[in-house]
Amino acid sequence: MSSASATDARVVVIGAGIVGCSLADELTARGWSDVTVLEQGPLPAPGGSTSHAPGLVFRTGPSKTMTEFAKYTVQKFGSLEVDGLPCFHPVGGLEIATTEARWADLHRKAGLAASWGVRGELLTPQQCKRLWPLLDEDTILGGFHTAEDGLARALLACRAQMARAEGRGARFLERHTVTGIEREDGRVTGVFTDQGTFPADHVVSAAGFWGPVIGAMAGVDVPLLPLAHQYATTEPLPELDGLNDPRTEAGRPMLRFQDRDLYFREHTDAAGSRLGIGSYAHRPMPVDPFAVPAFDEAPVMPSSLPFTEEDFAPSWQDSVGLIPALGASRVADGFNGVFSFTPDGMPVLGESRDLRGFWLAEAVWVTHSAGVAKALAEWMTDGRPSLDLHECDLHRFEDAQRSPAYIEDRGAQSFVEVYDVIHPLQPIEAPRPLRVSPFHARQQELGAYFLEGGGWERPHWYEANAPLADGLTLPERDPWSARYWSPIAAAEAAATREKVALYDMTPLRRLEVTGPGALGFLQRMTTNQLDKKPGAVTYTLLLDEAGGVRSDLTVARLAPDRFQVGANSGADLDWLLRHAPAGVQIRDITSGTCCIGVWGPLARDLVQPLTRDDFSHQGFGFFKAKQTYLGHVPVTAMRLSYVGELGWELYTTADLGLRLWDTLWEAGREHGVIAAGRSAFNSLRLEKGYRSWGHDMTTEHNPYEAGVGFAVRPAKGEFIGRPALEGLSEQNVRRKLTCLTLDDPAAVVLGKEPVFVDGAPAGYVTSASYGYTIGRCIAYAWLPASAAVPGTAVHLEYFGEKVPATVAAEPLFDPKMTRIRR
């Protein structure tokens, strides 16, 4: 913050599209009145993506955060009007299926809607026909209807929010082209424009597909790719005559035909009713944001490019097949509209660490605009958003994912996949391989089946272990849960429980914290007691000021002023760097190091002969660390286990990684060592009840709700989030992360399914996997505390089917921890 008080903070928002207008409204509603919105085009329709947006708001998706954004957009725009015209029409949404795969996907979507609190209903073809009389019901298998979804009038919503923000002191200046960002001592201080300079304590880039241009002025990468998207309108359709009020533009639900990458909405005016058709079926058409013409130089407006009829021709035929009445019509008008895509399809939000006070609100569609603005306004004024935003955080991308080539490749693929049926484990196809551990060659020799995360190639199982799966009796899986799964995972889990296995843990982030103030710094940042002798390892939490779990960490004190921190994401590094005092150095050592988890009852038998140091339980206790040698390899060994078995995490430098693998592999032959993958790993960790940050707990949860209150030590002194936890305990929370076991040993769920208590939706699954040791599927879920009692009967909904489950005491495996502590 600047020296000004919070309410006196000077804010400049770049861009008066739907995001900039929404943000100005949200900031001024929170008392920040010195808000200036700069727009290069004319108001209220400046020529960006907002000016041509068709305004479809479908709220439900795999991301809870994005659904919450959309829910707030519906709520807010539904309360706004301009000149008696509503800013939102709740005409509803209808997604139809013409393939079995899509029909199954709509069942999953209905489950997501129940998980996230959106009212929805699966329909028969006849019911779809009643909602949309022009449909050919013979081509439809069914549909999913969400009655409260609808159409946002983006430009009207901009006007309404501009008026409210101006009434609280904000100003909107059109025809102001930003030419530079002023900065001093690592902070933003103002914005240069062709009309003068505007001092600022905070600058927000809400420039849409011009985001990379503004980012370049600030020296901040904005990982988005503008792409053109086809939208066409038909001639007036007689079949729609008299059905719609021109004031409301539409009467039928928005329609999505995702099997052909199409959507439809009505346009009604004095000339009649037409259909608007949007297509994602065409080739990706990237646009250089640095070459987009200014408003006065564009033939129509900067975001509207000429319609390419040849690209739309297949989509027109698909449209006629679904809606036969179009056979007597034609495309009357069309354009290729430009908007933004990121490598993972999510927005880019947050404050730059390199230029304090410079914020991004980019790659945000109308659907999520008001929700994003609310979250960002909370972040700016209160220091934290009320929603978990880790999926949208600008620091989520690794350096290897920020190259222009990666952004272009993945941004284009995000466009292609907008309407695809995406499995939760489905990896990207390219560019791969991008990041590999030093063990990659050995893993390939063992027939590793790789999935991808954070750019890393991650083995999920090894075909070399297929003989171990012979004779295993496992429930038959449905086609969806059988994707990216193999029975070999069960064999690898059993080998870990019975003998010993090597796990590649290299992709887990590692930080080194050093300096005379390192201990005091980490004590202030985390919840557990770290003031222990060198050689101690501690599980601890990063909290935000409201007590929400930002991350969980393992902190090893390797020397009085040197710590190795096992973290989760780039946002952890960002958070620590933002708070680090002078004299404390924080370094990401992930890429220069590697890690092998050696776990199983024979782990000590494997490792001890390789070292002169004492690896006995008495000589090397649980949650301890030693720097030693295994054979010729210097390692940092930590007595940790994320799978519930005896063992160590072994760290060395990347150049020695292959030698470490070969040393362990050779020594392990006599003990039946295998390499095991992430599929077995996830099963084993759920049997032990170990949480996965970002899935099981986020900033929306406090430690006692999440079942990690044991890592909080208020008596140690002050730390971030401590005041917010006063008076809280596991006994007085209103919700809990709860262990469930499915009653049917053959049933499987994958995560995000709704959980019903007494027939009503009460929560959702965070993580799930088959527990091969206990012989049934395990699901962790958020439930009201009143239902989180062992023995409580619940049911989950999977593909529309009720799956009975029971709340179980945790951990399910080895509750006395005897196997780890031996």
Side-chain angles (χ1 to χ4, degrees), residues 397-451:
F397 295 112
E398 305 289 337
D399 287 345
Q401 297 174 304
R402 304 187 75 94
S403 69
Y406 188 93
I407 292 166
E408 183 168 348
D409 289 348
R410 292 302 309 151
Q413 190 62 26
S414 292
F415 177 92
V416 171
E417 293 175 351
V418 163
Y419 281 169
D420 284 2
V421 176
I422 303 293
H423 192 278
L425 292 176
Q426 185 169 325
I428 66 171
E429 295 181 1
R432 289 182 66 191
L434 183 61
R435 306 177 79 187
V436 298
S437 78
F439 326 126
H440 188 251
R442 297 293 184 265
Q443 292 166 343
Q444 288 180 305
E445 292 168 4
L446 293 170
Y449 185 90
F450 292 100
L451 298 183

Side-chain angles (χ1 to χ4, degrees), residues 515-524 530-532 557 560-561 563:
L519 173 62
F521 166 63
L522 289 172
Q523 284 280 73
R524 291 190 300 275
L530 304 182
D531 191 2
K532 303 172 182 176
R557 192 176 192 184
D561 296 330
F563 296 81

Side-chain angles (χ1 to χ4, degrees), residues 475-496:
E476 185 175 347
R477 291 206 168 200
D478 65 272
W480 185 249
S481 65
R483 291 183 67 183
Y484 308 108
W485 175 84
S486 168
I488 295 172
E492 293 177 357
T496 308

Side-chain angles (χ1 to χ4, degrees), residues 93 229 270 360:
H229 160 60
L360 295 179

